[in-house]
Amino acid sequence: MAATERTQVGIVGAGPAGLLLAHLLDRQGIASVVLEARSREYVENRIRAGVLEQGTADLLTESGVGERMARLGLPHEGVILRFGGQDHRIDFRALTGKAVMVYSQHLVVRDLIAARLAAGRRIVFEAERVSVHGFDVHDFDTGRPRIRYQENGAERELECDFIAGCDGFHGVCRPSVPPGVLTEFERVYPFGWLGILADAPPSSHELIYSNHERGFSLLSMRSPTVSRLYLQCAPDEDLEAWSDARIWAELQTRLAGPGFTLREGEITQKGVTPMRSFVVEPMQCGRLFLLGDAAHIVPPTGAKGLNLAAGDVAVLSRALGAWYGAGDESGLAAYSATCLRRVWKVQRFSWWMTSMLHRFDTHSPFERRVQLAELDYVASSIAASTALAENYVGLPFL
Ligand code: APR
Ligand code: PHB
């Protein structure tokens, strides 16, 4: 017989979505338990993206987990679009009054885990065979949501009022929703990104997004001594075919620009990520709520993955606060509709950046010219560059 534990919100997944939700609920006195399939060491060292919107950075600071970000994070007030051998800076500060923060996602995860454990709250790492039950009800008063899992081989059951599915794209929560409830929207791109981490001082103090006839490339960074670089490749590119020398040679070609020298260094990590846009509607089923990658995936070109997860968390933590604080269920009932308005705008921006900056083998010479003209328009029009800047620094969460 499984040992049963009770809490208010059962959270599946200790990625940015699950951990930030647990943290914001805790600050409102709402209890939760986080169940994570992998080890602490694994989730704290998973290399992902690293650009935080102003709103995400503010949320971390205001909720008391922004100390290391303030110390190590790199505030950026603009980005550079490089195409046709020229550079064009998009000045976020001048166009929107806002900026972004370059700070690694795995450090955000470490900061949230440290804060949670320091507060004596529970995260069950290496929780196995997680399954979710009893959430599919039509109001917030009936039903008995519970999460079953194994901990060190022992059967466990977590009874809760609500389940937050923060278990990413390949998790168990979304597939547990009964057939016919969810509709999936997807676009798979005919390319991927070959990404590297390198012990090389960043060759620019701002990110460079480069559109080159050989394909897209991106110069980003992690610290004054570590660069993060990406180049467009096939979705199933064979990494074995890419020696470090070949990677640097290709980056040198694609990132060539006026008065620019790309500094090389030892490559410490490399990988290929396929690219897709994905949204599921609705983002809730009864007392199960889907957040972050469990509900939507964006191509990384707009640096929106983590920030979109933070947006969902802001909406759900406010709605749960209203429910537990005042018995007001309106925020919970509107959770999916509220999130999806922002999710689709961010999907549009990420698809647009991807379409404008990558090489499409199917493009005719006419389409190639139109793509370059769009870049030229964005770079030379206050209205168009403001639109890019406004989306890049982040649309309002609520
Ligand atoms: N049981 C428990 N935990 C699970 C299960 C499961 N069956 N399946 C997955 N998980 C865990 C994963 O191990 C991972 O730690 O859920 C977590 C999901 O975290 P993320 O994939 O980081 O998703 P999310 O928190 O929504 O953050 C979205 O992460 O992938 C990036 O680009 C993405 O930046 C975006 C951000
Ligand atoms: C990163 O720093 O990893 C990064 C930055 C910008 C992007 C994607 C990834 O658009």
Side-chain angles (χ1 to χ4, degrees), residues 53-136:
E53 294 173 348
Q54 177 95 50
T56 305
D58 293 348
L59 194 54
L60 295 175
T61 303
E62 285 150 18
S63 66
V65 286
E67 187 276 326
R68 177 161 53 181
M69 176 184 68
R71 223 165 3 94
L72 300 180
L74 306 167
H76 279 204
E77 305 209 337
V79 285
I80 295 164
L81 301 181
R82 180 169 286 173
F83 60 94
Q86 293 299 317
D87 282 357
H88 309 267
R89 182 168 183 268
I90 305 292
D91 185 336
F92 298 152
R93 183 66 72 192
L95 294 164
T96 68
K98 295 180 178 173
V100 296
M101 177 70 84
V102 176
Y103 183 64
S104 242
Q105 176 169 321
H106 73 282
L107 295 180
V108 174
V109 165
R110 285 184 193 177
D111 296 339
L112 288 165
I113 291 175
R116 184 156 177 87
L117 299 181
R121 309 291 187 236
R122 255 162 68 63
I123 304 177
V124 181
F125 288 106
E126 296 174 84
E128 295 165 292
R129 303 166 66 80
V130 170
S131 60
V132 292
H133 311 269
F135 57 83
D136 183 18

Side-chain angles (χ1 to χ4, degrees), residues 116-349:
R116 184 156 177 87
L117 299 181
R121 309 291 187 236
R122 255 162 68 63
I123 304 177
V124 181
F125 288 106
E126 296 174 84
E128 295 165 292
R129 303 166 66 80
V130 170
S131 60
V132 292
H133 311 269
F135 57 83
D136 183 18
V137 291
H138 299 293
D139 59 45
F140 299 123
D141 295 312
T142 57
R144 202 170 61 83
R146 50 208 186 283
I147 308 175
R148 293 201 185 107
Y149 65 100
Q150 281 185 357
E151 187 176 14
N152 306 321
E155 293 293 335
R156 298 258 184 269
E157 183 168 272
L158 179 66
E159 275 189 14
C160 45
D161 301 330
F162 301 99
I163 299 174
C166 303
D167 50 351
F169 187 75
H170 302 288
V172 290
C173 291
R174 188 180 68 248
S176 300
V177 173
V181 172
L182 302 178
T183 305
E184 297 188 350
F185 302 80
E186 186 171 42
R187 162 92 201 247
V188 176
Y189 296 89
F191 40 71
W193 278 9
L194 191 165
I196 65 167
L197 267 180
D199 290 338
S203 308
S204 165
H205 67 277
E206 289 183 334
L207 273 57
I208 301 176
Y209 286 86
S210 168
N211 173 305
H212 187 277
E213 78 243 6
R214 291 178 62 85
F216 168 80
S217 61
L218 167 63
L219 181 154
S220 182
M221 56 208 70
R222 289 292 174 269
S223 74
T225 58
V226 176
S227 292
R228 177 76 165 146
L229 298 123
Y230 301 92
L231 49 84
Q232 176 181 351
C233 60
D236 56 355
E237 189 76 38
D238 175 12
L239 210 45
E240 296 305 309
W242 286 84
S243 66
D244 293 3
R246 182 183 172 200
I247 292 173
W248 283 120
E250 192 61 33
L251 286 168
Q252 290 287 358
T253 304
R254 295 190 196 179
L255 281 166
F260 175 78
T261 308
L262 177 63
R263 285 178 282 192
E264 303 186 5
E266 191 207 342
I267 295 178
T268 55
Q269 189 265 355
K270 54 185 171 184
V272 171
T273 32
M275 292 173 65
R276 79 169 84 213
S277 296
F278 173 87
V279 178
V280 71
E281 293 184 3
M283 288 172 56
Q284 68 190 101
C285 174
R287 298 164 76 161
L288 169 68
F289 297 86
L290 300 176
L291 301 90
D293 280 17
H296 41 69
I297 299 281
V298 283
T301 326
K304 293 299 180 197
L306 183 152
N307 298 294
L308 211 41
D312 298 342
V313 168
V315 174
L316 187 59
S317 65
R318 170 185 276 214
L320 286 166
W323 167 260
Y324 284 112
D328 170 5
E329 67 176 45
S330 61
L332 292 174
Y335 166 76
S336 180
T338 308
C339 289
L340 284 170
R341 278 199 67 206
R342 186 174 191 276
V343 167
W344 277 112
K345 287 177 188 164
V346 173
Q347 283 289 350
R348 182 210 67 84
F349 175 68

